[in-house]
Amino acid sequence: MKLPVLFKEKMQRLLGDEYEAYLESYNNPKYQGIRINTMKVSDEEWKQINPFTELQPVPWCKEGYYYTEPNKPSKHPYYFAGLYYMQEPSAMAPGAYVPIKEGDKVLDLCAAPGGKTTQVLAKLNQTGVLISNDISASRTQALLKNVENFGARNTIITNETPERLASKLPGYFDKILIDAPCSGEGMFRKDEGAIKSWETHGVEHCQALQREILEYAYAMLKEEGMILYSTCTFSPEENEGMIQEFLNHHPLCEVVPLTPVGGIATGHPEWTKGGDASLKGALRLWPHHLQGEGHFVCLIQKKEPTLDLAKRQVIKKRIKDIPALSEFIETYTHIDTDTPVIEVKDKVFMAIEDAPDLQGLRIVRSGMLLGELKSKRFEPAHAPVLAYSKEMFKQTIDLAVDDVNVIKYLKGETLLVEAQKGYHVICVEGHPLGFVKSNNGTLKNQYPPHWRMMG
């Protein structure tokens, strides 16, 4: 791989004696990983059903595993059931280190395609509020798919600027994740396209974005709340230097020291102007020290008194207040009909308790989509199937993982299986995949066309 001359000169200055080992890391294979969805399967259960060979644990993420070829996790039915997420191992570090508790209000500010969001979801375990945002409208569609596949019931997806979010949500969040736009130096080994981006945009362009994002995040943070700031670059100006600058402007904030494991290194205060010693509590993931790409992770806590001034959404309806919805829920599920819902243009969403009022913002998904009202009937969405266990549904068809009907279903084909009339949930080894509708001895496939298995 041909690296830019200026980049190589900079890395040689930073790494000194380690520079040759760093260059040698470009000859290593690209590392691939999966992360288990603990909302659906425990680590012990996963070990019993794991269909892949030679999985090795990721040291900094207890739910993470390295996988190698010829394993193909993206083609396995368990992937479509949301039992795991595919993620580069170093990219698991920010979500692993952010100390989220059940009930927290969390913002993933630069969320697409959803790796860190799905980690947050598992930690929240269907409690609290998660707002998952991305400024790119096209990228929010991949984010939505991954959030639904993971089984989220407590997530709002927005397509907004940090500035507009901050105008609505001052002092609201307990934790904010910022996977900041950066010069991408840590991705050169994995993606040669990142080199062209580095040459085009440069560090200064990224610094301006990072500076702005951090300020808006600070405004949305509660007292004692935390920001998890991460990048996939080596640049001190975007990492320790950016945090040092932020601390200079906010002296009541402090770095929360993180414990390095598995080859992760500490931060470098000496690479900044001012050299705050607490920056040693940040983390650096170097590809010549561990099996993964380059990353920087730093946790900051706000000590300044802050009022939560965000307005809360008003919930006026319950499932039982919408006849067609209530009839479907009572006929086919064990979901409580007293569950609060929000109706938007004939679509019905499960409301999230204590969620903020985001009126006026671009909202991609306001809580879990239950389905759509059409004339006097209700048509269920795909999301609830993946958000609940098999036991929540009254009519299920459970297939073995090697049953040919599983792949036929995931490809959108009609199934010839005997079942009484109405909606059924297709499961693989007890894990829901999606709806079918039985009529006249055939099962009409309800699996979303844009989710279907190809090939």
Side-chain angles (χ1 to χ4, degrees), residues 98-101 104-109 129 131 162-163 165-178 212-229 243 246-247 250 252-256 298-310 312:
V98 63
I100 287 169
K101 306 188 302 293
D104 274 351
K105 298 179 179 69
V106 184
L107 171 63
D108 188 354
L109 195 49
V129 181
I131 296 181
E163 179 181 12
L165 286 174
S167 71
K168 291 278 187 180
L169 300 168
Y172 177 76
F173 293 103
D174 298 290
K175 310 284 163 45
I176 297 177
L177 284 83
I178 302 173
E212 184 179 87
I213 289 170
L214 274 165
E215 287 301 321
Y216 288 125
Y218 176 79
M220 291 186 274
L221 201 62
K222 290 181 178 179
E223 182 179 2
E224 301 298 326
M226 296 182 184
I227 293 173
L228 193 290
Y229 176 87
I243 302 301
F246 180 80
L247 295 175
H250 300 285
L252 293 180
C253 285
E254 58 186 39
V255 172
V256 179
C298 187
L299 187 62
I300 310 162
Q301 188 165 31
K302 183 177 187 177
K303 295 295 185 178
E304 183 178 345
T306 306
L307 292 176
D308 176 357
L309 299 176
R312 299 305 193 261

Side-chain angles (χ1 to χ4, degrees), residues 398-434:
D398 202 356
L399 304 174
V401 70
D402 57 356
D403 190 320
V404 294
N405 283 303
V406 173
I407 301 302
K408 287 178 68 176
Y409 176 72
L410 293 174
K411 289 184 175 182
E413 298 174 17
T414 298
L415 305 184
L416 299 176
V417 178
E418 284 296 322
Q420 69 181 72
K421 190 174 181 180
Y423 284 93
H424 299 254
V425 171
I426 296 290
C427 302
V428 55
E429 304 287 358
H431 300 287
L433 286 173

Side-chain angles (χ1 to χ4, degrees), residues 181-439:
C182 68
S183 57
E185 295 168 354
M187 294 293 110
F188 285 3
R189 203 179 71 89
K190 179 183 176 185
D191 177 15
E192 291 191 35
I195 296 175
K196 292 181 181 178
S197 180
W198 183 86
E199 292 173 326
T200 302
H201 296 296
V203 169
E204 293 80 8
H205 170 77
C206 298
Q207 281 181 287
L209 294 173
Q210 294 155 2
R211 194 174 289 122
E212 184 179 87
I213 289 170
L214 274 165
E215 287 301 321
Y216 288 125
Y218 176 79
M220 291 186 274
L221 201 62
K222 290 181 178 179
E223 182 179 2
E224 301 298 326
M226 296 182 184
I227 293 173
L228 193 290
Y229 176 87
S230 66
T231 73
C232 57
T233 194
F234 303 123
S235 163
E237 296 88 348
E238 300 173 70
N239 294 330
E240 292 93 346
M242 185 54 58
I243 302 301
Q244 180 68 67
E245 183 181 316
F246 180 80
L247 295 175
N248 291 343
H249 287 104
H250 300 285
L252 293 180
C253 285
E254 58 186 39
V255 172
V256 179
L258 300 174
T259 303
V261 297
I264 295 178
T266 57
H268 286 267
E270 72 277 12
W271 289 350
T272 74
K273 292 180 181 178
D276 192 314
S278 68
L279 289 168
K280 197 172 180 64
L283 302 177
R284 276 186 171 267
L285 286 76
W286 298 98
H288 59 293
H289 285 177
L290 46 76
Q291 294 181 335
E293 309 305 327
H295 255 75
F296 174 84
V297 181
C298 187
L299 187 62
I300 310 162
Q301 188 165 31
K302 183 177 187 177
K303 295 295 185 178
E304 183 178 345
T306 306
L307 292 176
D308 176 357
L309 299 176
K311 292 181 181 178
R312 299 305 193 261
Q313 68 180 7
V314 178
I315 302 169
K316 297 180 179 179
K317 288 187 176 181
R318 309 272 164 177
I319 287 175
K320 63 187 179 185
D321 299 325
I322 305 174
L325 169 62
S326 182
E327 181 184 0
F328 179 90
I329 293 298
E330 290 187 278
T331 302
Y332 295 113
T333 82
H334 296 290
I335 297 171
D336 187 352
T337 57
D338 207 38
T339 300
V341 294
I342 296 172
E343 193 175 345
V344 182
K345 296 180 180 178
D346 294 329
K347 290 185 177 179
V348 185
F349 301 86
M350 185 176 286
I352 303 169
E353 193 172 340
D354 206 29
D357 179 2
L358 299 177
Q359 189 172 359
L361 298 182
R362 291 189 295 270
I363 300 172
V364 178
R365 185 58 45 93
S366 182
M368 183 180 72
L369 178 62
L370 287 169
E372 189 170 356
L373 297 165
K374 294 188 174 181
S375 187
K376 293 184 178 180
R377 65 185 177 86
F378 175 76
E379 189 170 294
H382 184 62
V385 175
L386 292 165
Y388 291 102
S389 66
K390 171 188 172 183
E391 290 70 29
M392 189 60 77
F393 301 98
K394 293 181 179 179
Q395 295 189 159
T396 61
I397 299 171
D398 202 356
L399 304 174
V401 70
D402 57 356
D403 190 320
V404 294
N405 283 303
V406 173
I407 301 302
K408 287 178 68 176
Y409 176 72
L410 293 174
K411 289 184 175 182
E413 298 174 17
T414 298
L415 305 184
L416 299 176
V417 178
E418 284 296 322
Q420 69 181 72
K421 190 174 181 180
Y423 284 93
H424 299 254
V425 171
I426 296 290
C427 302
V428 55
E429 304 287 358
H431 300 287
L433 286 173
F435 280 118
V436 290
K437 191 174 184 181
S438 176
N439 192 22

Side-chain angles (χ1 to χ4, degrees), residues 72-147:
K72 297 188 182 299
S74 65
K75 297 292 186 181
H76 197 281
Y78 289 164
Y79 172 71
F80 294 85
L83 299 196
Y84 54 82
Y85 183 86
M86 298 175 66
Q87 189 175 26
E88 192 278 315
S90 286
M92 298 178 189
Y97 273 100
V98 63
I100 287 169
K101 306 188 302 293
E102 291 192 7
D104 274 351
K105 298 179 179 69
V106 184
L107 171 63
D108 188 354
L109 195 49
C110 312
K116 295 166 185 65
T117 279
T118 53
Q119 277 180 288
V120 171
L121 278 171
K123 288 187 173 187
L124 288 175
N125 194 27
Q126 307 292 17
T127 68
V129 181
L130 171 58
I131 296 181
S132 192
N133 178 75
D134 204 273
I135 198 168
S136 165
S138 60
R139 284 167 58 83
T140 58
Q141 294 309 304
L143 173 61
L144 172 60
K145 179 182 184 295
N146 287 323
V147 163

Side-chain angles (χ1 to χ4, degrees), residues 35 57-65 89 92-93 96 119 261:
R35 182 171 38 77
V58 174
W60 48 87
C61 179
K62 65 181 185 297
E63 304 86 19
Y65 293 90
M92 298 178 189
Q119 277 180 288
V261 297

